[in-house]
Amino acid sequence: MKVGALIVDDEPVARAGLRDMLGAIDWVAVVGEAASGPAAVEAINAQRPELVFLDIQLPGFFGTDVLRRLEHQPIVVFTTAFAQHAVTAFELGALDYLLKPFGPVRLAATMERVRAVLGE
């Protein structure tokens, strides 16, 4: 069974790049995307993905605020260009924190951590 992943980023190019990298991982299916904090909360609670890639700087409110507003609690990997939010992200239970720009090798390391948590 594939793991459902949702991508949250306000930059279409960043969403497309991550979607392409995840497309090379056979056990993951991208089930949706969101481009703002409010849209992310709505999509995550409605679609209930197992995994969310979440940007920090989003229109509406920060990615860290998205986590605080969720009913559904997925595995969260932050994807951001801002290192200063890492401590808060981990305090909120993030599995990993990918600093942009990142590539397939760094993403693969994160996905191994995801598999370990899921017991895959």
Side-chain angles (χ1 to χ4, degrees):
M1 187 166 133
K2 290 199 176 208
V3 172
L6 191 126
I7 299 170
V8 181
D9 199 303
D10 60 330
E11 298 175 26
V13 172
R15 288 196 310 271
L18 182 52
R19 188 173 53 245
D20 288 349
M21 284 190 280
L22 290 171
I25 301 172
D26 61 3
W27 54 272
V28 175
V30 176
V31 297
E33 297 181 10
S36 72
V41 171
E42 185 177 324
I44 294 165
N45 285 334
Q47 297 180 27
R48 305 183 75 76
E50 291 92 352
L51 177 62
V52 173
F53 290 90
L54 184 57
D55 192 12
I56 295 274
Q57 300 261 350
L58 294 167
F61 43 80
F62 276 6
T64 49
D65 295 321
V66 167
L67 285 189
R68 293 183 176 106
R69 296 169 190 223
L70 293 179
E71 295 164 15
H72 173 66
Q73 296 298 319
I75 295 169
V76 174
V77 174
F78 277 99
T79 58
T80 182
F82 301 94
Q84 67 267 31
H85 300 285
V87 170
T88 302
F90 286 116
E91 286 173 348
L92 291 170
L95 178 70
D96 209 342
Y97 196 92
L98 298 175
L99 279 177
K100 295 177 187 174
F102 58 88
V105 173
R106 178 65 179 89
L107 180 61
T110 294
M111 297 311 290
E112 286 306 312
R113 295 184 74 192
V114 169
R115 280 184 95 135
V117 168
L118 292 172
E120 295 282 319

